[in-house]
Amino acid sequence: MTSRAWCSSLAKMAGRLAVERRARRPRAAELPPLLFIGPAASLLLVFVYWPLIYTVYLSVLDWNLISPVREFVGSANYRLLVFEPIFWIAVKNTLIYLVVLVPVELCFPLALALLLQSVAERRIRAVYQALIFSPTVLSFAIVCIVWVWMFNPLGGALSRLFRLVGLPAIAWLNNAQLSLWAVVLVSAWKVFGYNLVIFLAALTAIPAEYVESARIDGASAWKVFRWITWPLLGPTTFFVLVTTAIFTGTQVFIPIHVLTQGGPYNSSTHLIYLIYQYGFQFFQVGAASAASVFTFLGFLVLTYLQLRYLERFVHYGR
Amino acid sequence: MVARRLAQGIVHGCIVLIILALLLPVLWMISTSFKRPTDLFAPGLGLLPPRPVLTNYVLAWSSYLLPTWFLNSLVTALCITAGQLVTSALAAYGFARFPFPGRRFCFLAVLGAMIVPFQVTMIPNYILIANLGLLNTWGAVILPNLPSAFGIFLLRQFFLTLPQELFDAASLDGAGIWQTFWRVVLPLSRAPLGALAIYLFLGAWNAYFWPLLVLSQPESHTLPIGLRSFLDDELGIQWGQLMAAATLASLPALVAYVAAQKQIISSFVMTGIKG
Amino acid sequence: MRRTSGFALFWILSICVMSWLFVLPVGRSEAAKAELELWHRWSGPHQEVLREVLKGFEAKQPGIAVKEVSVPGQYVDLMQKVLARLAARQNPPDVLLPGYNFLDYTVRELRPIPIDQIGGTEAKAVYARYVPSVLRTGQIDGKQYGLPYALSTAVLYYNPRLVEAAGLNPQTPPRTWAEVQTWGEAIKGKTGKPALYISNVDTFLMQSLVESAGGVMLSNACPAFSTTEAVAALEVWRRYYQDGLIPRITYREAEQSFMTGDLAMFATSIMHLRGWTQQAQFPLRVAHLPRFGQRSLKVAAGGAALMVLARTTERQKAAWELLKYMTSEEGMRIWVKTGYLNPLQAALPRTEGQDPAYDQFPNLVGWVSWPGSRGLEVDKRVLDWRDKILLGAVGAKGGLEAAAAEVSPLIPGCPR
């Protein structure tokens, strides 16, 4: 399949070039863009678009990645997933991650950014900002390893702090009710700085005269926020919303893989983690591909909803 | 006046508390890396090592394959960043400057590629890389990450803001398409290119999911994968050593951050706001 | 033409760079000519001992170099890595040490060469070295696919200091699970420390408990672990969690607690003996695995067998030389320093603390190996249901019945 894929993409490119040459009329305007866009386009074709199609093809097979035999099973994999309780747990968890993280990572960074803005000293503000942003540059996986140690019920930082205030130490990672929240906590911690910095930049971009003139007119802080700041933050809020949503879809794999491996008994699993399990732990490529198709469709729906309904915010400010 | 001071004090207090909470894992990581094994579980708050030692660092450096992992991470991150910058700049220029038929469709396809999560396409990509015999090589990590739909998008936005007079002047001087790109447009794009470079490099350096799939041999691991494999260690996790290794692994990012945090932060902001 | 020539140059350059990337290897997994690759799951002290064994081999057979590759984790992680390698169209490792709990899966999916085929006339002599009941653990349908190498049973480790602090006598460890309950309550009451942990990383202890209570895991190659006896065994285990005798922490965390003297009793494989003796902050004691009342004890035979996956006759011959050495008296003498038990008939020195494990030899049963090509998935599902029972999300009877119903369709020939 692979040499065929390479040949077909090369053939596509050659075909395009051939078409160019045949149209001898030097539509010279068509050759350069091809050469400019060519590298990136062919790479995207090979590593993004062709795999999408191939995934759909794999989803109707029963294959374990190893044997030369690939059996066509039609919609069996899809039916397997639909009747599989673990799949629905993964869907539910994916939605929980989304529905919890997005609002939290919108409100709290924004609140802190507003607070930070009120700090008069510019240099202190820069120091604060730099400190808050620092988790973003660290590797998420390495930091999750540190978090495993933080969650350790015997010697970890969290247990020690709990014991300090008299609470019993909790075993976060082996508790079916808490494991998902442990992942949420770590994810929230990671994204916080980035969102704050974006909001802060946007807040700083709001012309001071607007706020000042409103203040002079006697508007309270809340009114200023509600009618001036918030609408002008529209595009930024939309951006933060979208990036955080994408984060919960893709990056959340890392804390799950390092902290809980989806457990205990799938209580913290996620659609993306499920795809990985089916594909690379059980070697059931068909089921993994079917789950990929479901996930991708979910993503499309989500993106469509965001673009359709939330774009209003973007135009609000105009 | 006093109320004002008090309010200011509370604001600073809140901010400092939140910062401490945010930095707790980093501080804890560093503190543990200096602790003796027997002090790891000693009762008490234990935020500072009671009898600090350097042995964890020595052991981490010698018994984990840290130098190899550093090299792997560095090479792959550099190659990916370079590749993404080059292909994105070229493609963005093509999209911005040449009104060719089907341009709109192609650009929408690029945007579409941005929303496809990597995990959805991972199995065919894995099969492709395996068939090419590239597993456990740098190429396996670099190749599928060479294109960056985001980079194309960002740079095209920027190129669109360049005034037409610029290009008119260039063609009057007899500059061809390539000359214009190389001599005129690129030098003007230092800022977004630099910002994008930082953003992409950090993304490549910290990549986890794809290297996890394609790098199974310890010698070929990148830093995050290599460290994660030590959570499965048979002897029970040596937290002091592991935290020392984690600190060493985070050092480049932290040092770069301390040196250039303004640029790094502004690069993230720029790639965000413009995007 | 100037505009296109600069371009063409750029394109040619980028194609060159990209093809360079194609060829650039790091840690190429194709083994060198005469070097055998041995994949196993051990790291730490066990890996050191294994290296010692291999050194002994290379001294005897200087022409054959052996590279050992460690895949840290459980046996299931080793299986997954080997499968990933096969999926990558690369040659499988020449020699593999898969766990007995995936024997069926390994033979079915990885197709090792039968020992009779590799060893030819020499095979019989090698078989004669073994204790007959142990030799059977490497067989599927009567055919010998693996030579038993690492052999372990489950034992009860305990911390005599904590035991004394609770007013109990460390010289008389509990012989039944009921006694474990009494001990546990005393330890928890008097010292406040968690009393017990039973290994939950695989089906090793689950099977030992179920079979000791009179149940079985598989019957006629189909799931049979929802019988009354099996339910009773899981009930006892679950009650320890419910009564707070077993803390709700992960295996890694429990191991850490035990080492620092914050956990009193630990039921797990004898394979940890060497590492734990070194690491424990107290004098480690070993006792027999407790029984259920007067029923006879049954313990699963844990460990790994040596299997040959090499495809060329040349490498198979070299692998056979390695197998002969590793299963010889000399090779095994080095290996049993790890704490694993001696599967051979020849008398070898015992490590301090291994006696209870050797006493349990007559009680060995084969570690259950899930049949069928979905064995990996079956294993995970059974373990997940067991965890649900232990953590109190579902009752023992309901949980085991649900587990059996869930995995039956995944095992060929079992009711759907």
Side-chain angles (χ1 to χ4, degrees):
Chain A
M1 187 64 209
T2 165
S3 39
R4 265 202 286 152
W6 273 107
C7 287
S8 72
S9 62
L10 278 173
K12 266 184 228 152
M13 289 222 39
R16 270 189 281 170
L17 281 169
V19 166
E20 302 309 323
R21 257 187 244 122
R22 247 181 269 137
R24 235 341 136 128
R25 207 87 348 214
R27 298 286 296 282
E30 277 167 9
L31 192 58
L34 186 69
L35 292 174
F36 272 98
I37 299 178
S42 44
L43 284 169
L44 282 177
L45 209 72
V46 169
F47 290 110
V48 178
Y49 280 107
W50 173 76
L52 262 183
I53 302 172
Y54 196 48
T55 299
V56 177
Y57 164 68
L58 284 176
S59 68
V60 296
L61 295 180
D62 178 12
W63 188 38
N64 69 352
L65 264 192
I66 299 167
S67 81
V69 172
R70 307 183 196 185
E71 207 188 314
F72 177 80
V73 289
S75 62
N77 289 316
Y78 290 95
R79 273 180 283 135
L80 182 145
L81 285 180
V82 167
F83 290 112
E84 172 61 70
I86 300 178
F87 175 71
W88 293 108
I89 296 178
V91 171
K92 179 189 77 155
N93 286 354
T94 309
L95 289 174
I96 292 181
Y97 283 124
L98 187 73
V99 163
V100 170
L101 275 174
V102 169
V104 163
E105 290 299 323
L106 213 69
C107 299
F108 287 98
L110 179 57
L112 192 64
L114 286 168
L115 210 63
L116 213 58
Q117 238 203 338
S118 69
V119 171
E121 262 269 7
R122 200 176 57 86
R123 260 180 301 170
I124 296 189
R125 204 168 13 158
V127 168
Y128 283 159
Q129 185 187 250
L131 287 174
I132 296 176
F133 188 74
S134 51
T136 316
V137 300
L138 295 173
S139 155
F140 201 5
I142 297 182
V143 147
C144 283
I145 295 176
V146 179
W147 272 99
V148 174
W149 173 226
M150 296 242 315
F151 280 126
N152 186 300
L154 201 63
L158 286 184
S159 330
R160 290 177 190 266
L161 287 173
F162 272 43
R163 256 178 276 152
L164 193 68
V165 291
L167 291 171
I170 310 180
W172 292 78
L173 303 179
N174 203 38
N175 185 317
Q177 282 75 40
L178 290 181
S179 58
L180 188 140
W181 300 106
V183 174
V184 167
L185 177 66
V186 174
S187 308
W189 172 87
K190 185 70 164 74
V191 182
F192 190 84
Y194 179 72
N195 288 1
L196 179 129
V197 157
I198 300 278
F199 273 130
L200 200 60
L203 283 174
T204 329
I206 295 178
E209 306 91 61
Y210 290 13
V211 177
E212 267 158 34
S213 56
R215 281 271 169 73
I216 291 173
D217 286 344
S220 69
W222 166 251
K223 282 236 169 65
V224 171
F225 176 74
R226 173 78 181 82
W227 296 108
I228 300 184
T229 319
W230 177 246
L232 285 176
L233 280 179
T236 315
T237 313
F238 180 63
F239 171 78
V240 167
L241 213 102
V242 170
T243 48
T244 310
I246 294 179
F247 180 90
T248 66
T250 57
Q251 293 288 325
V252 131
F253 175 86
I254 298 177
I256 295 179
H257 188 249
V258 177
L259 293 173
T260 64
Q261 294 89 52
Y265 50 90
N266 302 310
S267 50
S268 60
T269 191
H270 184 277
L271 274 175
I272 299 289
Y273 195 76
L274 198 70
I275 298 175
Y276 168 73
Q277 272 187 319
Y278 269 116
F280 292 94
Q281 288 188 350
F282 304 147
F283 290 91
Q284 281 182 264
V285 170
S289 303
S292 298
V293 171
F294 273 130
T295 309
F296 180 57
L297 289 176
F299 246 78
L300 280 180
V301 167
L302 190 73
T303 315
Y304 173 72
L305 286 174
Q306 280 175 337
L307 286 174
R308 183 98 159 55
Y309 289 103
L310 297 176
E311 271 231 283
R312 281 189 287 160
F313 283 120
V314 180
H315 296 297
Y316 195 118
R318 309 294 146 92
Chain B
M1 213 45 231
V2 175
R4 197 102 209 283
R5 275 304 180 89
L6 195 62
Q8 276 280 322
I10 294 180
V11 165
H12 279 270
C14 284
I15 297 178
V16 169
L17 267 174
I18 295 180
I19 290 183
L20 279 177
L22 279 178
L23 291 184
L24 184 61
V26 179
L27 297 172
W28 184 245
M29 169 180 79
I30 300 176
S31 155
T32 307
S33 67
F34 289 108
K35 280 187 182 167
R36 292 166 198 245
T38 41
D39 292 337
L40 286 173
F41 297 95
L45 200 51
L47 284 179
L48 286 175
R51 302 168 294 166
V53 287
L54 279 178
T55 47
N56 289 326
Y57 282 94
V58 173
L59 285 171
W61 188 256
S62 58
S63 58
Y64 297 172
L65 293 170
L66 277 177
T68 319
W69 296 341
F70 263 108
L71 181 68
N72 292 336
S73 279
L74 189 66
V75 171
T76 53
L78 281 177
C79 288
I80 290 177
T81 310
Q84 287 182 332
L85 280 179
V86 167
T87 59
S88 300
L90 288 176
Y93 188 67
F95 278 120
R97 291 297 307 162
F98 303 109
F100 59 91
R103 172 172 76 158
R104 207 187 135 83
F105 172 73
C106 283
F107 189 64
L108 280 176
V110 167
L111 287 187
M114 250 174 34
I115 64 163
V116 175
F118 213 98
Q119 288 86 352
V120 165
T121 56
M122 64 167 161
I123 295 176
N125 277 329
Y126 181 84
I127 297 173
L128 181 61
I129 296 292
N131 286 340
L132 290 172
L134 285 178
L135 283 181
N136 289 309
T137 66
W138 290 331
V141 179
I142 297 172
L143 208 53
N145 288 307
L146 274 181
S148 166
F150 176 70
I152 299 177
F153 177 66
L154 196 80
L155 289 176
R156 171 189 176 266
Q157 303 294 81
F158 175 74
F159 290 152
L160 283 178
T161 65
L162 296 175
Q164 181 59 31
E165 297 84 52
L166 196 67
F167 297 99
D168 294 341
S171 66
L172 274 176
D173 285 344
I177 301 176
W178 175 254
Q179 309 306 59
T180 323
F181 178 68
W182 185 249
R183 298 246 171 85
V184 179
V185 175
L186 277 188
L188 284 175
S189 319
R190 282 221 189 91
L193 279 178
L196 192 62
I198 294 177
Y199 183 77
L200 293 175
F201 184 83
L202 270 177
W205 178 268
N206 293 336
Y208 183 74
F209 184 75
W210 181 247
L212 178 71
L213 291 185
V214 295
L215 301 174
S216 54
Q217 309 243 296
E219 302 85 42
S220 62
H221 282 167
T222 51
L223 277 173
I225 314 292
L227 285 182
R228 164 68 174 85
S229 69
F230 276 92
L231 284 183
D232 293 324
D233 215 11
E234 177 185 293
L235 197 53
I237 308 165
Q238 311 288 320
W239 287 113
Q241 268 179 24
L242 191 53
M243 290 300 112
T247 312
L248 287 174
S250 310
L251 221 47
L254 285 174
V255 164
Y257 186 65
V258 166
Q261 82 257 70
K262 279 216 177 57
Q263 283 88 324
I264 294 179
I265 295 181
S266 73
S267 101
F268 273 81
V269 169
M270 209 193 295
T271 55
I273 300 278
K274 289 275 171 62
Chain C
M1 280 328 271
R2 249 190 323 154
R3 53 178 85 174
T4 21
S5 69
F7 240 152
L9 189 64
F10 178 79
W11 259 89
I12 293 173
L13 260 168
S14 23
I15 292 179
C16 288
V17 168
M18 277 179 54
S19 11
W20 174 69
L21 281 177
F22 268 77
V23 189
L24 198 66
V26 162
R28 268 270 183 222
S29 32
E30 301 297 332
K33 261 288 174 175
E35 192 181 57
L36 290 178
E37 248 189 60
L38 168 66
W39 281 36
H40 61 91
R41 68 163 273 208
W42 296 298
S43 51
H46 291 127
Q47 189 180 22
E48 284 162 22
V49 177
L50 184 66
R51 286 192 178 138
E52 220 185 297
V53 173
L54 294 178
K55 264 210 203 63
F57 172 70
E58 286 181 16
K60 281 256 160 79
Q61 295 262 10
I64 307 177
V66 183
K67 176 171 170 235
E68 52 87 22
V69 175
S70 154
V71 180
Q74 301 302 322
Y75 288 117
V76 69
D77 302 289
L78 181 63
M79 297 297 351
Q80 284 161 357
K81 280 274 155 63
V82 176
L83 287 170
R85 169 121 154 196
L86 287 178
R89 312 278 184 279
Q90 287 167 334
N91 287 327
D94 302 294
V95 181
L96 184 65
L97 277 157
Y100 295 123
N101 58 338
F102 290 110
L103 200 73
D104 195 284
Y105 189 84
T106 315
V107 170
R108 173 188 297 270
E109 301 293 321
L110 302 184
R111 277 162 296 137
I113 326 290
I115 303 290
D116 286 322
Q117 197 178 319
I118 303 183
T121 42
E122 294 179 338
K124 278 242 159 56
V126 173
Y127 295 159
R129 295 176 184 167
Y130 282 92
V131 173
S133 57
V134 173
L135 192 61
R136 272 197 289 278
T137 55
Q139 290 174 1
I140 295 274
D141 296 331
K143 221 173 163 139
Q144 194 83 30
Y145 283 98
L147 284 179
Y149 189 59
L151 184 65
S152 71
T153 86
V155 292
L156 186 71
Y157 297 93
Y158 63 98
N159 181 344
R161 293 207 189 125
L162 269 186
V163 166
E164 265 171 17
L168 301 160
N169 183 0
Q171 307 292 5
T172 56
R175 294 304 305 247
T176 68
W177 290 109
E179 282 175 38
V180 169
Q181 176 90 16
T182 337
W183 268 47
E185 281 162 5
I187 293 169
K188 179 164 170 256
K190 297 238 179 64
T191 65
K193 301 259 191 203
L196 173 68
Y197 202 82
I198 302 179
S199 168
N200 56 0
V201 294
D202 47 29
T203 52
F204 196 44
L205 264 297
M206 180 182 180
Q207 179 182 1
S208 304
L209 286 176
V210 164
E211 299 219 8
S212 293
V216 281
M217 298 294 282
L218 287 175
S219 173
N220 293 332
C222 285
F225 47 77
S226 46
T227 56
T228 341
E229 295 89 356
V231 171
L234 264 293
E235 244 323 294
V236 169
W237 196 353
R238 191 187 70 83
R239 213 183 130 205
Y240 292 138
Y241 274 90
Q242 207 182 350
D243 291 345
L245 297 181
I246 298 185
R248 286 159 184 259
I249 54 183
T250 65
Y251 182 87
R252 291 185 214 140
E253 290 162 355
E255 189 180 33
Q256 211 96 58
S257 286
F258 189 55
M259 290 293 100
T260 56
D262 291 300
L263 184 80
M265 302 180 276
F266 209 124
T268 184
S269 165
I270 188 75
M271 75 176 261
H272 299 292
L273 183 62
R274 183 181 161 98
W276 282 13
T277 319
Q278 285 171 357
Q279 256 202 314
Q281 293 174 18
F282 56 88
L284 187 67
R285 292 263 187 283
V286 185
H288 301 99
L289 192 69
R291 310 182 299 260
F292 281 100
Q294 290 301 18
R295 281 188 193 273
S296 69
L297 185 67
K298 296 243 175 70
V299 274
L306 283 162
M307 282 195 187
V308 178
L309 302 177
R311 298 287 171 214
T312 67
T313 353
E314 185 195 325
R315 295 184 95 96
Q316 284 168 8
K317 282 204 174 32
W320 178 241
E321 293 302 318
L322 179 63
L323 259 63
K324 273 196 300 184
Y325 178 78
M326 286 173 81
T327 58
S328 68
E329 219 182 289
E330 180 188 329
M332 200 51 83
R333 184 181 300 263
I334 306 174
W335 178 244
V336 294
K337 286 197 287 185
T338 52
Y340 275 111
L341 304 175
N342 172 19
L344 306 176
Q345 292 187 23
L348 291 175
R350 296 183 177 188
T351 317
E352 163 95 40
Q354 276 188 321
D355 287 334
Y358 278 109
D359 290 344
Q360 290 172 178
F361 246 66
N363 310 86
L364 285 178
V365 294
W367 196 354
V368 66
S369 161
W370 307 108
S373 60
R374 297 186 58 173
L376 294 180
E377 198 183 334
V378 169
D379 199 63
K380 173 149 203 311
R381 286 174 184 269
V382 170
L383 293 178
D384 279 345
W385 274 107
R386 179 207 59 190
D387 288 341
K388 271 204 180 129
I389 296 172
L390 295 178
L391 293 178
V394 70
K397 184 158 167 17
L400 285 175
E401 281 172 0
E406 193 175 287
V407 302
S408 256
L410 304 178
I411 300 180
C414 292
R416 318 228 127 217

